[in-house]
Amino acid sequence: MSNSDDHDHDHNAAPMVEEISDFEVLEVAVRELCIEKGIFTQDDHNQWTEYMHTLGPLPAGRLVAKAWLDDDYKQLCIDDPVKASLAVGVDWVNSMPSKFGTPSDYCNPRILVDEPKVKHVVVCTLCSCYPRPILGQSPEWYRTPNYRRRMVRWPRQVLSEFGLQLPEDVEIRVADSNQKTRYVVMPTRPEGTDGWSEDQLAEIVTRDCLIGVAMPRADRKVDDKRHVHKAIHPYGH
Amino acid sequence: MIKSHHVEKATGVGDPQCFKGEAGAAKFKVGDRVRIRNLPDIFYTRSQMYLREAEAVVVKLVYESPPAEDEAWDNTDSPEWFYSLLFKQTDLWPDYPQKFSGDTLETELSERWLEAV
Amino acid sequence: MSKSIPLLDKIGEEGRVWNDLREEYGVENPDPPWRVTLESTCEALNEGACVLPSLARRDEEDDLVDELYSHIPHPERQLLALAHSMIIRGIMTEEDLAQHLKVVEKRLNAA
């Protein structure tokens, strides 16, 4: 599956769902009708599916780990994120079937570098733009109106719901991804990681750290479980 | 329905990279203070309502591209400069706590949305 | 306000969502196996003939979810919204879909 938080599990004989749901039937029916009507071919579809299967948060985690160890590379991440992404196996322009990006995946990544007193967090209030080529599919909570509408307005409160309490003297900078830039947060390297290798460091840079709702910790390799809140007072944008 | 991308032009180059050099001279530079215009939303826009009439500082000229308002209708004739803008949270939300007056929000708008302060 | 589509309402009401299925079967994957193929369908609809542009689809999905499918989790709601968008745009009819659902259901359950 594309969500690489679970890549490790894929290698085990994971249990299967032995039941075909109406939603699964609907997905197949919609796809087959498109093919039947000549809107796209099975080949077109397969190319996208193959590409989607390659996506996950691992390359972005590795990019951060490399930058923690190499100041020149860190500078490249800031100056030319497309080039920096190549070093972790992501070609923003050419690896997706369209070879120029899509409205979901425009080719203008930007790495937001946290500082000890500046914490970045990413949201897309208009829809749910997400740096999919380097971070995979967005988590469910990222797409909810609750997160999208509240993060811009009450960022400290929303972050504390995620278990991240920011000290008063740390500035928060919310990036609202509304056009063609796709943001990835580069958090600061946590304590307790002196002498660690790139592989070790990459393991603690989880998806949530790269969105900015968590900070890496030496003792945490998987994201905490998130409860998805419903918006109580949604407002239009 | 309309084709919303100039496939040939963008292939192997990337979008928005394929519009590089098409917007002419940029009207604003890094450090300029600007106000977000309250233009009418006729059909489609990606300029958030909560930014309208707020002031911001230009922090980066990010790329050239047709604005979303045109691109949604396949009009790629008039690319504009896009700016990354930094807003103070206390300027955007009247009830934002003053003790967090250093908190900011960064987002992008095309040139047509900006006026000099 | 969007008009509801009986066929999709029925799936929304009766269909078993992934969260329930994975709990019952002890599966850890947070996404159903069809999520990737659904995303591919969305991309393929945007590409080429550009029958359903991504930006329009995504906007419509937000509205449809707000108005009709807010009680259904993601990605099931994304799927319902996609099918809904395709029907109101005449990319397929409700009858087309009803008929093909029967064919697919029979085939998948025979396998």
Side-chain angles (χ1 to χ4, degrees):
Chain A
M1 292 298 107
S2 69
N3 193 321
S4 298
D5 290 347
D6 278 331
H7 268 181
D8 290 340
H9 305 299
D10 283 349
H11 300 297
N12 305 328
M16 300 264 289
V17 170
E18 309 274 355
E19 180 177 327
I20 290 156
S21 77
D22 293 352
F23 292 103
E24 186 168 355
V25 173
L26 177 60
E27 187 279 322
V28 176
V30 166
R31 169 166 33 110
E32 289 186 351
L33 278 173
C34 290
I35 294 168
E36 201 178 290
K37 289 171 186 295
I39 296 169
F40 51 76
T41 66
Q42 184 68 53
D43 263 8
D44 295 336
H45 194 274
N46 289 349
Q47 278 189 35
W48 277 107
T49 302
E50 271 173 43
Y51 171 65
M52 303 282 185
H53 275 297
T54 67
L55 301 180
L58 298 177
R62 182 152 296 272
L63 176 142
V64 168
K66 281 174 91 68
W68 281 345
L69 293 170
D70 178 348
D71 284 340
D72 291 339
Y73 183 72
K74 184 177 177 182
Q75 195 58 47
L76 185 67
C77 290
I78 296 167
D79 297 339
D80 192 347
V82 172
K83 199 169 171 189
S85 299
L86 291 174
V88 293
V90 173
D91 183 336
W92 283 79
V93 175
N94 294 302
S95 62
M96 75 187 71
S98 65
K99 311 284 184 215
F100 59 81
T102 73
S104 316
D105 313 287
Y106 285 118
C107 311
N108 195 57
R110 190 167 151 208
I111 314 293
L112 303 170
V113 180
D114 280 352
E115 294 161 30
K117 298 293 176 195
V118 182
K119 176 82 201 90
H120 292 87
V121 61
V122 180
V123 65
C124 169
T125 54
L126 295 177
C127 44
S128 44
C129 298
Y130 190 76
R132 198 166 60 163
I134 201 164
L135 209 46
Q137 305 290 355
S138 57
E140 179 182 0
W141 54 260
Y142 185 86
R143 298 170 61 101
T144 58
N146 178 61
Y147 180 79
R148 285 157 43 204
R149 292 170 188 174
R150 290 176 64 235
M151 180 52 91
V152 284
R153 187 156 187 178
W154 295 288
R156 284 177 188 267
Q157 191 186 332
V158 177
L159 285 179
S160 71
E161 287 163 14
F162 275 87
L164 183 57
Q165 309 283 349
L166 286 185
E168 281 188 22
D169 65 337
V170 172
E171 287 176 31
I172 179 159
R173 184 169 295 186
V174 179
D176 186 357
S177 178
N178 66 331
Q179 310 271 7
K180 294 188 175 180
T181 296
R182 296 290 172 265
Y183 302 102
V184 175
V185 174
M186 182 186 292
T188 50
R189 184 171 168 176
E191 285 175 15
T193 59
D194 288 351
W196 281 28
S197 68
E198 187 182 303
D199 286 351
Q200 283 175 294
L201 291 170
E203 280 193 315
I204 60 167
V205 189
T206 62
R207 179 198 67 205
D208 286 2
C209 298
L210 295 155
I211 301 172
V213 296
M215 303 269 255
R217 284 202 326 240
D219 62 350
R220 184 177 58 199
K221 292 181 185 174
V222 288
D223 287 321
D224 300 330
K225 288 246 184 300
R226 304 296 182 201
H227 179 69
V228 176
H229 299 272
K230 289 212 187 316
I232 300 166
H233 300 295
Y235 68 94
H237 39 256
Chain B
M1 204 32 71
I2 317 159
K3 178 81 204 140
S4 65
H5 271 265
H6 280 205
V7 174
E8 271 176 44
K9 178 176 177 167
T11 300
V13 180
D15 183 350
Q17 288 90 329
C18 62
F19 300 107
K20 198 176 170 160
E22 295 188 10
K27 192 168 159 194
F28 303 101
K29 60 181 189 305
V30 173
D32 284 356
R33 279 198 71 79
V34 294
R35 184 182 296 113
I36 312 311
R37 301 175 64 196
N38 193 6
L39 299 175
D41 297 329
I42 299 178
F43 295 112
Y44 184 77
T45 184
R46 295 195 62 81
S47 300
Q48 306 89 315
M49 285 307 297
Y50 71 85
L51 304 176
R52 308 294 171 88
E53 294 178 355
E55 288 186 18
V57 177
V58 174
V59 287
K60 195 174 163 70
L61 278 66
V62 279
Y63 47 80
E64 296 156 82
S65 166
E69 294 79 20
D70 290 354
E71 201 166 36
W73 307 98
D74 199 35
N75 174 2
T76 55
D77 296 340
S78 315
E80 291 179 20
W81 272 102
F82 276 68
Y83 300 87
S84 203
L85 304 163
L86 195 64
F87 297 79
K88 283 171 64 94
Q89 286 281 33
T90 48
D91 287 347
L92 292 175
W93 315 106
D95 55 352
Y96 205 86
Q98 280 301 326
K99 71 172 169 182
F100 300 124
S101 61
D103 288 357
T104 50
L105 181 136
E106 190 167 343
T107 195
E108 295 177 346
L109 292 177
S110 71
E111 199 163 274
R112 68 173 62 179
W113 289 91
L114 310 181
E115 59 190 10
V117 173
Chain C
M1 192 74 192
S2 308
K3 232 177 111 198
S4 68
I5 295 175
L7 180 65
L8 298 178
D9 284 348
K10 189 164 179 285
I11 295 173
E13 277 160 32
E14 295 175 4
R16 298 197 65 199
V17 299
W18 181 248
N19 281 341
D20 295 343
L21 289 173
R22 74 183 175 119
E23 205 164 293
E24 180 179 331
Y25 291 90
V27 175
E28 290 195 21
N29 200 305
D31 293 318
W34 49 264
R35 181 176 178 191
V36 170
T37 36
L38 169 64
E39 297 279 357
S40 302
T41 298
C42 292
E43 294 298 343
L45 279 166
N46 174 69
E47 260 216 309
C50 205
V51 168
L52 181 54
S54 290
L55 295 174
R57 176 185 59 79
R58 197 58 193 82
D59 271 2
E60 223 161 82
E61 181 186 328
D62 274 354
D63 290 344
L64 289 168
V65 165
D66 261 6
E67 293 167 11
L68 298 174
Y69 306 120
S70 62
H71 58 295
I72 293 164
H74 179 83
E76 284 82 2
R77 54 164 64 161
Q78 180 185 346
L79 173 59
L80 288 174
L82 172 67
H84 196 118
S85 288
M86 288 174 66
I87 289 170
I88 56 180
R89 283 153 184 268
I91 300 170
M92 62 184 182
T93 64
E94 201 178 337
E95 294 72 45
D96 278 345
L97 183 60
Q99 209 163 37
H100 203 66
L101 282 170
K102 283 191 194 133
V103 175
V104 173
E105 192 177 2
K106 201 169 162 195
R107 197 177 75 223
L108 291 187
N109 281 314

